[in-house]
Amino acid sequence: MSQHEASHVSRGTPGWTPIAEEAERAARVLHPDRHAMPRPRHRRILTVANQKGGVGKTTSTVNIAAALAMHGIRVLVIDLDPQGNASTALGVEHRVGTPSVYEVLLGEIRLSEAAAQSTSSPNLFCVPATIDLAGAEIELVTMVARENRLKQALSDQALDEVGVDYVFIDCPPSLGLLTVNALVAAAEVLIPIQCEYYALEGLGQLLSNIELVRSHLNTSLDVSTILLTMYDGRTKLADQVTNEVRSHFGPTVLRTVIPRSVKVSEAPGFGQTVLGYDPGSRGSMSYVDAAREIAERGAAHEPPRHRNGR
């Protein structure tokens, strides 16, 4: 099979086999230079949010960002979670005293001064979170236009200085002032939903909060992307949750589903994304597929819009 033929393997291709499809997916990860992803028509800023913990929010943020960067797109991750897990996974220093998103929010430094290059890719940058961010919500309360601090920091001029096509904002697992700042600063929301029993628990509250932010602070905000994570094909429950989410949210849900994977869980412990830790794993290939879907949507047309469950 030629390289050209291998790049178009699908169920409709003559001679298709599951092994051929897996080989083609692996090639996209192992040889990214041959499978470049398209740049978006306009710079995209996506807030990755779900106040429910353990849904793969940070994992999805860093791996989608790394997949896009690996395939030729310049990406910035804003780590807005005081735990700093995104910073760790991207190999970016976030000890106390490191220029971070905390100083950016307070207006003490410019975005470009805090953006550090990730060890994952020369196209990937991260504004890290230090433990100082834990007190930021209290400090922001007394500030003028407290909900707009991140939006002001992510001005077109500031992002032009860093020179990126995509910005992903990784939120803390709460609906506090940091998350509100992230929702005000972005045009799109990406919601990871795990394929487990309590998958939709709290989702209604998240969508209500997004609607409130849209009504009062950011009229352009929309849920553009939903990603199903932690899929276990051995259980009927996973399929039930998948079908329920797809029937409710339609084309907003990416076709790609992220499988439950030990490799995906292990990677952050080594200061890496799964693409760097084990590029040939199913988890790695799935995140590349998800990133490609996001890139193709951004290049072809405006992403699907979902408004509060309707």
Side-chain angles (χ1 to χ4, degrees), residues 84-216:
N85 292 335
S87 306
T88 299
L90 295 175
V92 171
E93 184 61 65
H94 59 106
R95 290 179 297 184
V96 173
T98 304
S100 71
V101 72
Y102 173 74
E103 289 83 10
V104 172
L105 284 170
L106 297 186
E108 295 176 357
I109 61 175
R110 301 200 318 276
L111 185 73
S112 59
E113 295 176 85
Q117 189 177 72
S118 168
T119 55
S120 300
S121 168
N123 289 325
L124 182 54
F125 301 84
C126 175
V127 175
T130 64
I131 195 63
D132 290 333
L133 190 60
E137 295 217 41
I138 298 171
E139 293 183 54
L140 287 171
V141 168
T142 59
M143 291 187 175
V144 176
R146 59 193 181 190
E147 301 93 350
N148 290 286
R149 304 296 296 188
L150 186 59
K151 181 178 181 179
Q152 291 167 2
L154 296 181
S155 66
D156 286 339
Q157 180 181 353
L159 290 172
D160 285 343
E161 286 182 13
V162 185
V164 290
D165 301 302
Y166 278 85
V167 179
F168 290 92
I169 306 171
D170 184 40
C171 296
S174 70
L175 293 174
L177 197 48
L178 288 174
T179 299
V180 171
N181 261 268
L183 293 172
V184 172
E188 304 177 49
V189 183
L190 188 162
I191 303 176
I193 298 177
Q194 85 279 32
C195 301
E196 295 181 356
Y197 187 69
Y198 292 113
L200 303 181
E201 184 183 65
L203 187 59
Q205 184 61 51
L206 175 60
L207 292 173
S208 295
N209 279 54
I210 290 170
E211 186 62 42
L212 281 172
V213 171
R214 180 190 295 123
S215 300
H216 300 287

Side-chain angles (χ1 to χ4, degrees), residues 64-75 121-124:
I64 289 171
L68 289 167
M70 181 185 289
H71 290 80
I73 297 174
R74 287 175 65 88
V75 185
S121 168
N123 289 325
L124 182 54

